[in-house]
Amino acid sequence: MEKKPHFVRREFLPREVPSISLALLLAAVLLLNALLYLYLNKFYSSLGRVETDPGLCPFGYFKFGAVKNCSPWLSCEAINKEVRKLKCVGEGAVKKVFLSEWKEKKVVLSQLTNSELKEDFLHGLKMLKALQSKYVVRLLGYCEQQFTILTEYHPLGSLRGLNETLYIPKYKAMNTWHRRLMLAIDYVSVIRYLHSSPLGTLVMCDSNDLDKVLSQYLLTSDFHILVNDLDALPLVNRSAGRLVKCGHRELQGEFVAPEQRWPYGEDVPFEDDLMPPYDEKTDIWKIPDVSNFFLGHVEGSDIVRLHLFDIHAACKKKDPAERPSAQEVLDTYRKILTLLIQEAAMPGTREML
């Protein structure tokens, strides 16, 4: 008797295996996305700072360190009695800065050095009081009569020393592209805050070159950025037709925005009265140069620059009206950070799908 061929039905197997594999892969991607979402939430909270700051006190009060209760700003009498100067740590055109001590805590005492610039000093104090937030150095007290301001001390100093700090063995782990990008995000966050402050749209005028910009900001011990010097912070009020000019001298160089430069050529001598005013978009022009400093030359920084190319090109538009707002720059920076972290967490996922 002739045996019939024995056939095994296998036609479903090749279809089932890829379907199961694809389902597992999709499940893994969804799980990874969920974990990434939680990570980014924590990442933004710890590095980028959420919008609320539990460390802030009501107007006229402060707290810092492990202290839970808010204390009133120190008065002239308290500063004179309780604050002890240790050493001079800096001096600018307007004030001299002393590392000092108050109740066994390091603090910073700033004093006016040039009486002709007392209006600038008092304007800086006014801004410091009005703009207290997570973006601004903490005010501890002041004495208008003696032209003295007391603020929180940050041992890492100004942003001018950022690269040197990141080469210290203790901080080498911080020297990564995403930490550096987070510093750039912090910087743009400060600019955004100033452009939409409780007082209105403020322009950071002490920013005629990169070194000057970096000197205006402090690096905190947990690697955030605070604006520290608010002496030159004029107000833009478009509805009232009020624009600004950063000083009364001619500004030159590629770092300052085109509208800040003398527009009438070398044959016409500079006259402050003839210099047209401008708005806050001068700050936007400078963002790419400052961010380029932050990114440095670590592994991955060139990839970040590539992703930032379009928004930085927009910041460098000659017409100020065509430049993005600080909020738009900030949104783009955050999206790029999220994208790059996703790509780092899920390399090759697209090809697998």
Side-chain angles (χ1 to χ4, degrees), residues 25-58:
L25 179 60
L26 288 172
V29 170
L30 289 173
L31 177 61
L32 194 55
N33 272 319
L35 293 172
L36 186 62
Y37 174 78
L38 294 173
Y39 168 74
L40 286 172
N41 269 349
K42 184 178 180 182
F43 191 76
Y44 279 125
S45 298
S46 62
L47 295 180
R49 292 176 291 180
V50 290
E51 289 302 314
T52 57
D53 186 351
L56 289 177
C57 292

Side-chain angles (χ1 to χ4, degrees), residues 223-349:
F223 273 71
H224 287 305
I225 290 175
L226 297 172
V227 62
N228 180 51
D229 195 330
L230 304 174
D231 295 345
L233 211 61
L235 179 69
V236 168
N237 188 338
R238 284 193 185 81
S239 60
R242 180 180 176 181
L243 300 177
V244 304
K245 288 192 285 187
C246 291
H248 304 286
R249 293 181 293 181
E250 183 177 2
L251 301 178
Q252 297 177 327
E254 293 299 316
F255 188 83
V256 297
E259 63 270 23
Q260 292 184 280
R261 302 172 211 153
W262 179 244
Y264 304 116
E266 295 180 359
D267 296 334
V268 181
F270 176 82
E271 288 187 39
D272 183 43
D273 292 340
L274 298 178
M275 180 67 198
Y278 33 83
D279 62 18
E280 77 280 4
K281 290 298 183 74
T282 57
D283 289 333
I284 304 299
W285 171 274
K286 297 159 189 172
I287 286 175
D289 298 293
V290 180
S291 291
N292 187 56
F293 167 80
F294 285 132
L295 291 175
H297 300 285
V298 298
E299 183 179 356
S301 62
D302 287 341
I303 300 296
V304 179
R305 286 186 178 90
L306 187 62
H307 281 79
L308 294 175
F309 180 85
D310 288 342
I311 189 65
H312 282 176
C315 291
K316 290 294 188 180
K317 293 280 189 181
K318 188 171 183 180
D319 182 355
E322 294 181 6
R323 295 174 205 153
S325 66
Q327 183 65 63
E328 290 170 326
V329 178
L330 181 59
D331 290 342
T332 302
Y333 272 36
R334 285 174 171 167
K335 287 176 184 176
I336 289 171
L337 174 64
T338 302
L339 173 66
L340 290 172
I341 291 176
Q342 286 175 335
E343 289 181 351
M346 297 185 294
T349 301

